[in-house]
Amino acid sequence: MSNKNNAGHCLRAVAKNCEKVLKNMNVRIAAATICTAALTAVFAAVSASGSEAPLDAHLTADSSTAVKTVISPKEYDVKILVDGRTVGVKCSGTVNDALEAAEVRVSDDDLINIGFSEPLNEHTKIVVNRVEIVEEVNVKTIEYATKYKEDDSYTVGYSEIIVDGEEGEVETTTRHVYVDGELVSSAVVDEDITEPVDQVVVVGTREYNPIDDFSISHLNAPLDLVLDANGAPTEYSKVLTGKSCAYSARPGAGTASGRKAMVGYVAVDPSIIPYGTELYITTTDGSAVYGYAIAADTGTALLDGLILVDLFMESYEASCDWGAREVNIYIL
């Protein structure tokens, strides 16, 4: 009786150890069967002891808890429409897994018909639309306006730009969206405007030239004859500097050019200053202004080069008062 009890005790110990092994290991049914067979063999060896019934019940009740079955994930045939072609791939997992398996890259701007984390199934069909965003910058010129400012300190016909005009511009940025090469939308996303600067022109309104007020000449100065701050014409072709004298003649006297003598017609060397040339004459020191004049006569002293100009005066006394002076002759 003592040997039977010892055998039964040992058998139960082995059964418990095998149970622990089966519970701690991730085994398949085949492995569990082998272990169960081994225990059955031990049980058969001591069956004569009469302790088999409790042991068999113990194995039958607990050995099934050690069995674990591992099932491989199912793969699906997935079609991916991208870049004008269809890519087929056999894959399990999610949409993102299928894209990676097919080596299809999707940018942040691209469109996709299904979420990246969606699980695959037998109906999964992935469509990727390529999106390209192009920004176009267009610059349009804004013409400047011209404004006129009247000023009676200048004669009629005088004009001067006192503010230069500057063109403005409109810089427009338009964003174009293309899907698979087709334009689907265009929108203005930015507009930068630089306003033009108006041109300002001063125009004279005085009806006569103020030069006539301080000139000896009796000729009316052209309205567009304007002097700068130094008393010189603002526009002329050249200036000659030299000695001047003055002369007079009886009323109705003629000149070498055929004109009647008058204050404002002057004698010159026509080879230097041709007849009919418009002039403006003033002393170099600014002490006297003969004014607007026309080359109309000549004389021996002029042709000999002794003087540059001989100024016609209204009287002998006036010519004596002028005497001989250094002058600037501006060729207009």
Side-chain angles (χ1 to χ4, degrees):
M1 180 64 68
S2 176
N3 289 336
K4 288 183 179 181
N5 290 335
N6 290 336
H9 177 76
C10 291
L11 187 57
R12 284 190 293 272
V14 171
K16 287 182 178 181
N17 288 336
C18 190
E19 178 185 356
K20 292 179 180 180
V21 171
L22 291 172
K23 288 182 178 180
N24 293 329
M25 294 180 62
N26 183 13
V27 295
R28 294 179 180 274
I29 296 175
T33 302
I34 293 172
C35 187
T36 302
L39 290 174
T40 302
V42 175
F43 173 75
V46 295
S47 60
S49 66
S51 61
E52 65 277 9
L55 177 62
D56 183 66
H58 178 79
L59 289 175
T60 302
D62 298 333
S63 62
S64 62
T65 62
V67 177
K68 183 177 181 180
T69 302
V70 179
I71 302 175
S72 299
K74 185 175 180 179
E75 293 185 335
Y76 298 95
D77 291 321
V78 179
K79 290 184 178 181
I80 304 173
L81 277 66
V82 61
D83 300 328
R85 60 193 177 95
T86 301
V87 180
V89 63
K90 193 175 185 66
C91 183
S92 62
T94 65
V95 169
N96 191 60
D97 294 326
L99 293 170
E100 289 184 354
E103 297 184 350
V104 174
R105 302 290 180 262
V106 180
S107 72
D108 293 340
D109 293 327
D110 291 338
L111 301 176
I112 186 169
N113 68 323
I114 190 171
F116 291 103
S117 61
E118 290 292 321
L120 300 174
N121 58 56
E122 63 271 18
H123 302 297
T124 300
K125 183 177 180 180
I126 303 171
V127 179
V128 177
N129 299 112
R130 298 299 190 194
V131 177
E132 181 183 9
I133 298 176
V134 178
E135 290 192 350
E136 178 186 12
V137 178
N138 182 51
V139 178
K140 182 180 179 181
T141 299
I142 305 174
E143 298 293 336
Y144 62 80
T146 300
K147 295 183 177 180
Y148 297 92
K149 179 180 179 181
E150 296 184 346
D151 191 334
D152 63 4
S153 63
Y154 300 97
T155 56
V156 173
Y158 171 82
S159 66
E160 179 184 2
I161 297 174
I162 58 175
V163 177
D164 290 327
E166 295 181 11
E167 293 178 337
E169 65 179 25
V170 179
E171 183 178 284
T172 304
T173 302
T174 304
R175 181 173 295 162
H176 305 289
V177 178
Y178 296 85
V179 177
D180 292 335
E182 295 292 329
L183 179 64
V184 296
S185 69
S186 295
V188 174
V189 295
D190 187 41
E191 188 172 70
D192 186 18
I193 301 176
T194 301
E195 296 293 342
V197 176
D198 291 337
Q199 178 177 269
V200 179
V201 180
V202 62
V203 294
T205 57
R206 180 177 290 191
E207 296 295 335
Y208 74 99
N209 197 323
I211 292 175
D212 297 339
D213 292 340
F214 51 82
S215 296
I216 295 175
S217 173
H218 293 175
L219 298 179
N220 293 324
L223 294 177
D224 60 353
L225 178 56
V226 179
L227 305 181
D228 61 21
N230 297 318
T234 55
E235 294 184 10
Y236 57 90
S237 60
K238 64 179 178 178
V239 59
L240 303 176
T241 301
K243 184 178 179 180
S244 71
C245 288
Y247 74 105
S248 63
R250 59 178 175 78
T255 63
S257 65
R259 295 175 172 88
K260 295 294 182 180
M262 65 176 295
V263 180
Y265 289 157
V266 297
V268 296
D269 181 348
S271 65
I272 299 174
I273 304 175
Y275 293 144
T277 302
E278 295 181 275
L279 313 170
Y280 184 77
I281 304 172
T282 181
T283 57
T284 54
D285 60 6
S287 60
V289 176
Y290 187 77
Y292 177 69
I294 293 178
D297 205 356
T298 190
T300 303
L302 295 157
L303 298 176
D304 291 343
L306 298 177
I307 58 175
L308 181 61
V309 64
D310 206 359
L311 308 175
F312 188 82
M313 298 292 181
E314 62 180 348
S315 67
Y316 174 75
E317 291 76 16
S319 64
C320 291
D321 288 341
W322 182 269
R325 302 190 190 192
E326 196 79 5
V327 294
N328 288 326
I329 301 177
Y330 297 93
I331 311 298
L332 304 179

